[in-house]
Amino acid sequence: MKLLNVVRVLTVLIIAVALYAVGLIGSYILGASDWLKNYTASSATADTTAVVPYDTNFHALWTQPADWRLAKLAPEQRLKIDYGRELIAHTAEYLGPKGKVKANSNGMNCQNCHLNAGTQPWGNNYFAVQANYPKFRERSGTVENQIKRVNDCFERSLNGKALDSTSREMQAILAYIKWIGGDVPKKYTPRGSGIYKLKLMKRAADPDKGRVVYEQKCQSCHQANGEGVMAEGGRTYTYPPLWGERSYNNGAGLFRLSNLAGYVKYNMPFGATYERPQLSDEESWDVAAFVNSMPRPSKDLSKDWPNIAGKPFDHPFGPYADPFSEQQHKYGPFKPIKEWKEKHKKKS
């Protein structure tokens, strides 16, 4: 009799526990269902425009070889590369108006345009040079080697004279460029090479608006008259001149507005990088227009662009194969020019 009572009690307890468990599961299912309904409803009304797409142009960029790898090279080669780096970083110390080697340039340094001695991502770096030269360039209408390319910089950006191809300085610069780009596969251009190409504006770039940006963001370093700040000793510049007789001439790559705007956007003013830009796209275009509207040295460009149809959309000097004016080629809007060139390129 006692055993029967125990069995009855246990049976009741088991049934009670089972019913309680069923109730918990049912509540969980109902709660999950309500949550799913609410989540679905909120997702349907969510502002999907707030989602920022992943931009691969600014992630996993190519970088220079680690310095420790230099230790694996022969001492003579290592010294040559080190001298090449020094020449890029402090060009005027050796080849400026008061240079230790010779007076050969305007007092600017190569790294004023090729940041961090040509290693800054989107800072007009040298990453792709070794892999892509020799190559045909429309500007000269010839296949150019690296010697020609380096001397173009000396004659245009540094407004100076070409280096002897056999000189110690030229050979050191070539060794350094080879070191920087030695890991890049042939004919490949790594992400982050050169200068970032900004999206074109619908309007023309405005030098007057750019003047305001310059006064607010750039003048403290480059000065009101664009002359820059000379370093102690008078050999080189702490902040380079952006116009005037000591700046780059009208044949330099940065005299093309798209190049200067992209360079400014992700490198200027001081402290800006591709990770932390300080100017909007429009501010970058406008300040570039202001800087390139100011007086600077001239170079004989009569032998440039033998095929005028090969001139880029923002080459500021005619004649052109298209119907657009010099003014529009210099300041834009550039989209109509690019569309015209593309259309007629396909037809030809």
Side-chain angles (χ1 to χ4, degrees):
M1 190 69 178
K2 290 181 179 179
L3 180 62
L4 182 61
N5 288 336
V6 171
V7 170
R8 286 174 178 173
V9 170
L10 288 174
T11 301
V12 171
L13 287 173
I14 291 170
I15 291 171
V17 170
L19 288 174
Y20 180 74
V22 169
L24 284 177
I25 293 170
S27 298
Y28 175 80
I29 292 172
L30 289 173
S33 177
D34 290 341
W35 175 84
L36 183 60
K37 289 178 182 177
N38 292 334
Y39 175 79
T40 304
S42 63
S43 297
T45 58
D47 182 8
T48 56
T49 60
V51 177
V52 178
Y54 182 81
D55 191 341
T56 58
N57 286 309
F58 303 100
H59 296 84
L61 305 187
W62 196 272
T63 57
Q64 63 174 316
D67 280 350
W68 64 263
R69 291 172 55 187
L70 286 167
K72 294 184 175 183
L73 302 179
E76 182 180 348
Q77 186 66 10
R78 188 164 63 246
L79 288 172
K80 184 182 288 187
I81 291 170
D82 285 342
Y83 185 42
R85 191 204 311 260
E86 178 70 7
L87 288 168
I88 297 299
H90 306 291
T91 318
E93 289 283 347
Y94 301 88
L95 298 167
K98 299 179 181 179
K100 301 172 184 176
V101 176
K102 63 185 298 189
N104 204 70
S105 63
N106 59 6
M108 292 175 65
N109 300 315
C110 293
Q111 81 168 358
N112 292 143
C113 299
H114 304 280
L115 295 178
N116 291 336
T119 65
Q120 176 70 27
W122 296 130
N124 205 13
N125 55 66
Y126 301 137
F127 295 159
V129 176
Q130 183 66 24
N132 289 280
Y133 278 81
K135 74 174 184 179
F136 178 81
R137 300 190 74 219
E138 286 281 4
R139 186 165 71 182
S140 65
T142 65
V143 174
E144 296 182 6
N145 59 21
Q146 290 186 36
I147 293 171
K148 164 67 173 168
R149 191 68 190 88
V150 169
N151 276 334
D152 265 355
C153 282
F154 270 92
E155 294 179 325
R156 297 167 186 264
S157 299
L158 298 180
N159 195 38
K161 300 175 183 178
L163 294 177
D164 186 320
S165 62
T166 63
S167 68
R168 178 182 175 227
E169 286 64 40
M170 175 61 82
Q171 293 304 308
I173 290 172
L174 295 178
Y176 177 65
I177 290 174
K178 182 178 180 179
W179 167 252
I180 292 298
D183 295 332
V184 180
K186 199 66 178 171
K187 304 300 180 185
Y188 177 67
T189 299
R191 184 185 299 139
S193 297
I195 298 173
Y196 184 79
K197 300 300 182 186
L198 287 184
K199 183 178 179 180
L200 302 179
M201 294 196 297
K202 294 181 179 179
R203 64 170 175 86
D206 189 334
D208 291 331
K209 290 182 178 180
R211 181 189 295 273
V212 176
V213 178
Y214 181 85
E215 290 172 350
Q216 293 174 346
K217 303 286 188 177
C218 317
Q219 183 171 295
S220 59
C221 291
H222 298 287
Q223 304 301 295
N225 58 5
E227 70 180 356
V229 176
M230 183 69 74
E232 186 177 354
R235 287 183 184 272
T236 186
Y237 286 93
T238 302
Y239 301 109
L242 298 185
W243 63 83
E245 63 178 9
R246 290 296 185 87
S247 189
Y248 57 88
N249 64 42
N250 63 356
L254 290 184
F255 196 62
R256 282 181 53 196
L257 203 63
S258 65
N259 286 341
L260 184 56
Y263 180 82
V264 166
K265 168 70 178 184
Y266 292 111
N267 298 288
M268 297 293 153
F270 184 77
T273 67
Y274 68 91
E275 298 166 307
R276 294 179 295 276
Q278 297 183 26
L279 301 180
S280 68
D281 285 10
E282 288 201 0
E283 287 174 324
S284 301
W285 281 107
D286 288 338
V287 76
F290 169 67
V291 169
N292 277 352
S293 71
M294 302 303 284
R296 64 187 60 258
S298 295
K299 176 176 170 54
D300 179 10
L301 306 179
S302 60
K303 295 182 180 179
D304 285 3
W305 312 103
N307 173 22
I308 62 172
K311 288 183 178 181
F313 64 87
D314 57 345
H315 183 68
F317 303 112
Y320 304 108
D322 59 63
F324 301 94
S325 67
E326 279 193 352
Q327 180 77 4
Q328 187 164 348
H329 275 278
K330 185 168 185 177
Y331 297 119
F334 296 119
K335 187 176 179 181
I337 304 176
K338 289 195 73 174
E339 289 176 342
W340 189 97
K341 288 172 71 68
E342 190 62 28
K343 178 181 177 180
H344 288 77
K345 179 182 179 181
K346 290 179 179 178
K347 284 185 174 182
S348 60

